[in-house]
Amino acid sequence: MAGGMEFSELEAKRKHHGQLMSGDGGWHGVPEMQAGRKRNGRLNEGPASSFSQTRLLLVTSSSEEELPDDAFVEPEFQSDDWSVASLSSPSVNGRRRAARALARALASFLATAFSYAASSRYAQMLCGLCQRHQVLRIGAVFATGLLRAVQFLQLNWEQLAADIEAGALNPRVADESVRDAVAGILRPDPELARFVREECGKAEWAGILARVWPNARYLEAVITGTMAQYVPTLRHYSGGLPMVSISYASSECFFGVNLRPLCDPSEVSYTIMPNLAYFEFLPVDDEQEEGDDEPALVDLARVEAGREYEIVITTFAGLNRYRVGDVLRVSGFHNSAPQFQFVRRANMILSIDADKTNEVELQRAVERASALLRLPHGASVAEYTSRTCTARIPGHYVVYWELTAGVAVDKEVLGGCCLEMEEALNTMYRQSRVVYGSIGPLEIRVVWPGTFQDLMDYTISRGASVNQYKTPRCVTFPPAIKLLDSCVVSNHFSAALPRWTSYD
Ligand code: AMP
């Protein structure tokens, strides 16, 4: 077992210390637990409930050294390289040490898992190059996945070309199963290596996908909803290949398919398949009457063309009237089956990858970060708005701040505010930032005092009511973005990664 420790060894160690209960007595059983407590000789005081359990512990040889002496370990699950156990300790110190051991074990586990993921990604790209004339479709689930593949090629083409030339995988691909899988495909091919160097070494990557994979017929990925922002970038790399968004689905349920796969990305509609779940729809434009506690749900057969609805599902797996959180617009009918365009996530304003940040989360993050301005500078955020910037890969959040007039703020403090905002954002955001690297550092753009007044004047000049005007917390309209960008005084980025653990 590479770098790990068998449970049998761990149990032996605990038994040796007189800490692991014998027989089938897991610590879940009260009599055994009390026997164990007595055996420890220091647990007689305090109620049983003070004996608290940590969450799952990933046990590797490195974390094992750090386990507290008074710990109880209960095996849960084991793989070749690591084991998962419940761990409990009666003492505060023990629990602290267990938490530290947990953090280290998790880091070592993630390093192993990610080295596999990196090896696998490398091998897939290598095989894709070796078999480039056989590739008919270039696809990923979401558009961001496709762009990550392009970025991976940008970062690794020199090594890939070297491996192709030599006909051998470089030793950094350590995983044996990955090496075995590639062995049957990789042969020395100096001509292909030259081609890769020539194509990828060019400064201009427009159309690279069609050149590297000349027989590919189309790109396939979800390019609707929040992924629509990546269509121009994909188009840039695609060399004119059609972009196909086949299906609309979620972890909870498959919803529908695109019956016109070759249509323009802006026209994609999905036909909901009624045999996959029971679908109902909540009109989003209906005013709810005061005192109404049941929303007026509409059946699939009764939705109306042109109206927007939030989709509600009852699934075979047991979800009952579950609000998925997606807003759809009825764009037409296929025979009598309604077709829907994806409009937006309900209550979501920012998304780069799998992250979904809503207005409340953004507000909370701005409040937390702006607290950093108050103490040293007495400054505060007078107004803010945000957008995603996907001009480069990975994309990132941009937050425009107008500060209270007349106060100068250090750039270090503003850099710290960027990180503070990231710390306050949801776990998916931080995981994408820390683990997948699919989101870049958050940026604060400080704008001139009066910029948000200009934004309001501009919006009103386009017909908005002055009485009803609210500062938008996200801007997507290009002229509004241009206006904000023309007023930027300084910009600042997070200089470090936010914290993320799998227990967040
Ligand atoms: P998840 O539950 O993480 O698998 O994500 C499912 C969500 O991804 C859906 O509820 C939508 O918000 C989004 N999604 C999935 N397919 C599409 C699609 N074809 N177009 C737009 N958004 C989609």
Side-chain angles (χ1 to χ4, degrees), residues 138-139 146 209 217-221 234 238 241-245:
I138 304 172
L146 269 184
L209 295 176
R217 297 280 181 271
Y218 63 100
L219 303 185
E220 186 188 328
L234 276 179
S238 73
L241 287 173
M243 285 179 247
V244 173
S245 193

Side-chain angles (χ1 to χ4, degrees), residues 193-247:
R194 191 160 28 82
F195 168 82
V196 171
R197 287 188 185 112
E198 208 174 282
E199 278 303 331
C200 299
K202 288 178 185 159
E204 181 52 72
W205 272 49
I208 186 88
L209 295 176
R211 289 200 301 278
V212 173
W213 291 283
N215 295 321
R217 297 280 181 271
Y218 63 100
L219 303 185
E220 186 188 328
V222 168
I223 47 170
T224 41
T226 58
M227 295 295 139
Q229 61 187 317
Y230 300 106
V231 168
T233 319
L234 276 179
R235 216 171 245 145
H236 174 77
Y237 292 126
S238 73
L241 287 173
M243 285 179 247
V244 173
S245 193
I246 296 273
S247 60

Side-chain angles (χ1 to χ4, degrees), residues 181-196:
V182 173
I185 293 172
L186 184 60
R187 300 270 173 277
D189 190 341
E191 196 167 319
L192 177 59
R194 191 160 28 82
F195 168 82
V196 171

Side-chain angles (χ1 to χ4, degrees), residues 72-104:
F72 282 71
V73 178
E74 170 81 358
E76 301 263 350
F77 179 77
Q78 186 172 359
S79 86
D80 284 350
D81 295 330
W82 45 272
S83 314
V84 176
S86 302
L87 181 130
S88 48
S89 166
S91 68
V92 172
N93 262 347
R95 288 199 290 277
R96 278 199 193 121
R97 287 185 57 199
R100 277 202 299 273
L102 176 65
R104 285 191 191 205

Side-chain angles (χ1 to χ4, degrees), residues 25 45 131 136 163 170 294 361 388 390 450:
E45 73 283 351
Q131 300 183 328
L136 299 178
D163 287 6
N170 68 82
E294 280 298 314
E361 287 169 324
T388 52
T390 51

